[in-house]
Amino acid sequence: MSQQLRKPGFATVAVHAGSEPDARTGAVNPPIYASSTYAQDGVGELRSGYEYSRTGNPTRAALEANLAALESGSYARAFASGMAATDCALRAMLRPGDHLIIPNDAYGGTYRLIDKVLAPWGVEYTVVPMHDLAAVRDAVRPSTRLLWVETPTNPLLNIADIAAVAEIARAASATLLVDNTFASPYLQAPLEFGADVVLHSTTKYLGGHSDVVGGALITRAEALDEAFGFLQNGAGAIPGPFDSYLTLRGIKTLPLRMERHSDNAEALVDFLDRHPKIEQVIYPGLVEHPGHEVAAKQMRRFGGMVSVLVSGGVEAAREFCARTEIFTLAESLGGVESLIELPAAMTHASTSGSELEVPDNLVRLSVGIEDAADLIDDLAQALG
Ligand SMILES: *Cc1c(COP(=O)(O)O)cnc(C)c1O
């Protein structure tokens, strides 16, 4: 075999990392190992390292190896959902009395878990606009152990400067976790900018087909991976082998899909930006977006998520969401099909009345990979 002169590119990694053709059969895809347990040759003598599928499963291991490579990490752990990964990260890294800093527009479920579950157990938190570095610095306390970043955020698409927040975390001897769900590893590599841990809801762009729920934690730090692995096995929120396979199958086309999501989002932004019934378009690719420069520095492109403020208030926004025909009115994001939703009433209903509340005329679009012209026609007719 010829010597590898350069690191393989992202698309090659996406297709190949973590799975060799099956040694026995030559199958090019990893088998779906639907087995909870594994025969032992003698007591404690394992044939290939597997003993029980909560602890380890070969299909899941193939997914984990692929995820680690995609994020240029050394270790990855796959979970039953993004929230299971979030729960594992929080409980592995925080103890009662510890403090964490979270963004003021964190994913609703992340905020709910911290506020309703972690806080009653004695974990303290401060909510800050993560793009405001002075506010982040001010929020640091001696007990701060963890800084939690989402960029772009959901649903306001604010941009945090990963390298700058990493510096604040390092100075505070705290860990920086980046929820990279919205960008996907193809558009943004947080570990390269100094983050310690990357979190994904693999339900979204990584799976990419709205057919599987999953999560992941990726790191280069062995001690963190060990703590995550202890809870992954100890608490058991693992994905099954079929879910692991589906996620891995989705990942193979991630680069192609992200390019198309970004192309389509740009076309829609151009259309919406000039539409009289749209008050404001929020997209990090727009030069007037306050995070545009930082996004351009740390992202390959600006992704498939677009938010808009609809003129005419909440009623007009509700009507817009109800009238689309190609865009499906649904929660979630990152699949091949276009989705539309009203965060204040749907994904972010749990933030109502809190510091994380979102405008009630905000509409979030997850732009799919259909033909851009059809998507534009659909939004045009829905806006009336
Ligand atoms: C969806 C999502 C989560 C939660 O993931 P699930 O797979 O739904 O449990 C976490 N963070 C972000 C940014 C998300 O979009």
Side-chain angles (χ1 to χ4, degrees), residues 58-124:
T59 318
R60 189 174 97 215
L63 170 63
E64 290 174 333
N66 184 280
L67 288 166
L70 284 183
E71 285 286 5
S72 69
S74 311
Y75 312 95
R77 300 279 174 180
F79 293 87
S81 68
M83 288 317 303
T86 300
D87 179 53
C88 174
L90 291 168
R91 287 194 293 133
M93 295 192 280
L94 298 167
R95 299 287 175 270
D98 288 348
H99 174 249
L100 85 151
I101 301 174
I102 58 169
N104 66 350
D105 53 356
Y107 176 71
T110 304
Y111 176 72
R112 182 176 56 193
L113 185 66
I114 291 167
D115 183 60
K116 299 282 192 288
V117 180
L118 273 279
W121 282 97
V123 169
E124 293 170 359

Side-chain angles (χ1 to χ4, degrees), residues 306-310 317 320-321 340-343 361-365:
V306 179
S307 291
V308 293
L309 294 171
V310 179
F320 178 36
C321 292
I340 187 167
E341 70 121 356
L342 194 68
N361 64 333
L362 182 82
V363 169
R364 188 186 79 179
L365 303 172

Side-chain angles (χ1 to χ4, degrees), residues 289-348:
H289 186 289
H292 176 70
E293 261 178 52
V294 174
K297 179 187 76 171
Q298 66 194 16
M299 297 178 77
R300 193 195 293 253
R301 293 189 69 183
F302 303 102
M305 299 303 298
V306 179
S307 291
V308 293
L309 294 171
V310 179
S311 30
V314 60
E315 277 319 311
R318 276 181 182 272
E319 226 169 275
F320 178 36
C321 292
R323 297 217 311 230
T324 55
E325 282 162 12
I326 297 176
F327 277 83
T328 303
L329 177 60
E331 303 202 355
S332 199
L333 61 109
V336 291
E337 69 291 304
S338 292
L339 303 177
I340 187 167
E341 70 121 356
L342 194 68
M346 296 170 64
T347 48
H348 288 63

Side-chain angles (χ1 to χ4, degrees), residues 18 30-31 33 35 38 48 50 53 56-63:
Y33 283 93
S35 194
Y38 305 81
S48 58
Y50 295 99
S53 273
N57 173 283
T59 318
R60 189 174 97 215
L63 170 63

Side-chain angles (χ1 to χ4, degrees), residues 263-293:
D263 287 344
N264 283 356
E266 282 171 16
L268 288 191
V269 163
D270 189 51
F271 164 76
L272 291 165
D273 211 24
R274 287 179 282 122
H275 199 285
K277 296 210 175 137
I278 297 297
E279 223 169 77
Q280 195 192 337
V281 179
I282 305 169
Y283 187 65
L286 287 169
V287 282
E288 63 266 31
H289 186 289
H292 176 70
E293 261 178 52

Side-chain angles (χ1 to χ4, degrees), residues 163-194:
V165 178
E167 232 166 80
I168 298 173
R170 233 184 337 267
S173 303
T175 302
L176 171 61
L177 178 146
V178 174
D179 180 338
N180 202 26
T181 299
F182 262 45
S184 89
Y186 178 68
L187 296 182
Q188 180 169 274
L191 298 180
E192 305 279 4
F193 288 91

Side-chain angles (χ1 to χ4, degrees), residues 125-189:
Y125 71 92
T126 305
V127 168
V128 301
M130 205 50 82
H131 51 275
D132 179 349
L133 295 172
V136 178
R137 246 177 244 113
D138 281 352
V140 171
R141 305 178 188 172
S143 60
T144 303
R145 293 278 166 278
L146 180 62
L147 277 71
W148 191 280
V149 162
E150 272 182 48
T151 185
T153 59
N154 175 17
L156 291 172
L157 305 174
N158 281 313
I159 302 295
D161 186 329
I162 298 170
V165 178
E167 232 166 80
I168 298 173
R170 233 184 337 267
S173 303
T175 302
L176 171 61
L177 178 146
V178 174
D179 180 338
N180 202 26
T181 299
F182 262 45
S184 89
Y186 178 68
L187 296 182
Q188 180 169 274

